[in-house]
Amino acid sequence: MQNKPQGLSTRCVHTGEIEDPQGSPHTPIYATTTFAFASTADLLDVVEGRRAGNLYTRYGLNPTIRSLEAKLASLEGAEAALAFASGMAAESALFVTHGREGILCIGDAYGGTLELLAEQLPLLGIPTHFLLGSELDQLESVLRQNVGLVFFETPTNPALEILDIRRIVEAAHAHGALVVVDNTFATPVNQQALALGADLVVHSATKYLGGHSDITAGAIMGPASLLAPIQGWRKNLGQMPSPETAALLARSVRTLVVRVQRQNESAQKIAEAMQHHPRVARVLHPGLAEFPGHRLAAEQMSGFGGMLTIEIKGSGQDASRVVDRLQLFAIAPSLGGVESLATQPVTTTHHGLTPEERNRRGITDGMIRLSVGLEDPEDLNRDLEQALA
Ligand code: PLP
């Protein structure tokens, strides 16, 4: 029993929880900014790293945050994790720490990530490169340029394109570049990117890890040696989540597996129903046998996820009319919560791109991205049916 590794659900519930003298089964919220010591020598033991301990919350040296980080690490089978105030805080700390030589972003990515990479990091002298998933034949030649870090999401937003993690890792490592996978869409339940060879995993914990649309947070998981320099940036850029947020995130992670498994099942049912709808031109979901990335997804994922994109027959305005008529799905640009959300990428996540760039990336005006929540899938299907009618 002792030697057998615990399953993901067990780890979600138990890993990282501290033993509370008052008997709380969960790590309490230590809503304090600083911690007191028995003596100067005791303080110096923590400051000088001879003993792990609590010191100052912005440094992450707070029991609630350290407890959360142990749980987050275990989700991805990682040695360590760092919690952040948002997914973008995590990404920016990661890029300025390990991306200074140059960053290659493959495939589509969240709009904020693209803006950071294309417009802001170059202002700091950080070279950034971009390749679409369909341009992987150019991977070798780009890697020969100044690239120290390769970053991608899989599945991607909003087309749910599946990128081959092992293949990209092999090419990147041959050129000495680190590989970072944004595992936000997949979740650790459906994809273990570190086990597939990635060096680091990053999350917008605002999405599935948080799962209730009530916290903004981020995380990076990986080896302690790669996280240590990121921690220094996090500390001085002031990117810590509060202990209250950390406790809420730990609460959410305890139910991660059951939520995601249910979201996987419901998204599959909705994708299959929508596939045959006369007003729907295409359904993009990795769980559909017809989906171009299905085989690769079946190889590198253990579930196909709760996200799908439908492309309606008609114009962008027609798609807006469908979205506006939805009653159960809320019109909102986020994902991963208990409530189902719908968004037209052209109006939200990819609004900032030129029509030419959207076209190049295959993002059409008729696309509606759905984040499937925990409602009954029959009710969600009925809602889509009435809106499409
Ligand atoms: N990564 C992905 C895949 C996202 O969808 C988002 C936000 O939508 C982010 C990162 C950024 O996360 P946050 O909003 O928590 O900063």
Side-chain angles (χ1 to χ4, degrees):
M1 165 87 188
Q2 227 92 45
N3 297 333
K4 245 191 161 180
Q6 291 180 329
L8 183 57
S9 298
T10 307
R11 285 181 275 137
C12 280
V13 176
H14 292 287
T15 303
E17 302 295 340
I18 64 173
E19 230 171 272
D20 176 45
Q22 304 296 331
S24 164
H26 304 140
T27 302
I29 304 174
Y30 285 85
T32 43
T33 55
T34 192
F35 292 84
F37 291 83
S39 65
T40 303
D42 187 27
L43 176 145
L44 284 175
D45 279 347
V46 173
V47 170
E48 294 173 1
R50 283 183 293 279
R51 171 170 81 76
N54 306 305
L55 179 64
Y56 192 63
T57 291
R58 178 172 50 78
Y59 295 4
L61 300 181
N62 170 299
T64 312
I65 292 165
R66 291 167 61 216
S67 160
L68 167 71
E69 289 178 338
K71 201 182 277 302
L72 292 173
S74 83
L75 292 183
E76 296 282 3
E79 185 185 358
L82 293 174
F84 283 84
S86 70
M88 289 313 298
E91 285 186 20
S92 53
L94 176 61
F95 292 151
V96 295
T97 307
H98 291 298
R100 293 199 297 273
E101 221 182 292
I103 302 167
L104 166 62
C105 173
I106 304 177
D108 231 316
Y110 165 60
T113 305
L114 290 178
E115 189 181 339
L116 178 67
L117 288 171
E119 293 171 30
Q120 293 167 324
L121 293 181
L123 298 176
L124 304 179
I126 298 180
T128 55
H129 312 265
F130 300 87
L131 276 183
L132 295 183
S134 55
E135 296 171 334
L136 279 182
D137 54 324
Q138 297 168 42
L139 181 57
E140 286 290 332
S141 67
V142 178
L143 285 169
R144 268 184 237 114
Q145 302 173 40
N146 40 7
V147 173
L149 187 151
V150 175
F151 170 91
F152 57 96
E153 299 177 12
T154 180
T156 62
N157 173 29
L160 288 318
E161 185 180 18
I162 307 295
L163 296 175
D164 189 335
I165 298 177
R166 284 195 195 90
R167 177 181 166 198
I168 295 170
V169 165
E170 199 184 342
H173 284 178
H175 290 269
L178 290 176
V179 175
V180 180
V181 172
D182 182 332
N183 216 22
T184 301
F185 266 48
T187 82
V189 180
N190 293 328
Q191 183 165 274
Q192 292 277 304
L194 296 179
L196 293 165
D199 299 289
L200 290 163
V201 162
V202 65
H203 277 274
S204 167
T206 313
K207 316 301 183 198
Y208 287 98
L209 300 189
H212 298 70
S213 307
D214 58 2
I215 33 176
T216 301
I220 307 176
M221 294 83 153
S225 59
L226 290 178
L227 293 183
I230 304 176
Q231 191 167 11
W233 283 96
R234 179 186 68 171
K235 179 177 82 159
N236 292 333
L237 292 175
Q239 297 174 304
M240 281 310 301
S242 68
E244 291 83 356
T245 299
L248 266 181
L249 181 52
R251 170 229 44 189
S252 297
V253 169
R254 293 182 194 113
T255 60
L256 178 71
V257 177
V258 282
R259 282 188 285 108
V260 170
Q261 284 176 347
R262 169 64 183 258
Q263 284 163 314
N264 287 345
E265 285 165 21
S266 297
Q268 182 77 29
K269 282 186 190 157
I270 294 169
E272 285 170 8
M274 285 296 111
Q275 209 178 8
H276 304 295
H277 197 286
R279 299 223 161 120
V280 173
R282 265 196 317 163
V283 179
L284 305 175
H285 180 66
L288 295 175
E290 297 76 7
F291 183 71
H294 174 70
R295 274 188 58 184
L296 179 56
E299 268 173 46
Q300 72 180 19
M301 301 177 77
S302 49
F304 297 116
M307 299 297 298
L308 69 138
T309 294
I310 60 173
E311 190 177 28
I312 63 143
K313 292 176 183 163
S315 65
Q317 278 176 341
D318 293 330
S320 301
R321 270 195 286 275
V322 173
V323 168
D324 290 348
R325 290 164 77 121
L326 288 166
Q327 289 168 3
L328 266 182
F329 283 87
I331 309 172
S334 197
L335 61 122
V338 295
E339 64 291 295
S340 293
L341 304 179
T343 188
Q344 249 181 300
V346 67
T347 65
T348 52
T349 53
H350 292 71
H351 188 253
L353 300 184
T354 61
E356 295 73 34
E357 186 55 22
R358 279 197 295 270
N359 194 29
R360 204 173 76 82
R361 291 175 174 270
I363 297 158
T364 64
D365 293 356
M367 280 182 169
I368 302 171
R369 190 190 77 180
L370 303 175
S371 168
V372 177
L374 294 182
E375 302 91 339
D376 291 293
E378 297 74 23
D379 291 332
L380 294 172
N381 260 333
R382 260 199 301 278
D383 193 27
L384 287 163
E385 292 276 354
Q386 65 77 24
L388 285 161

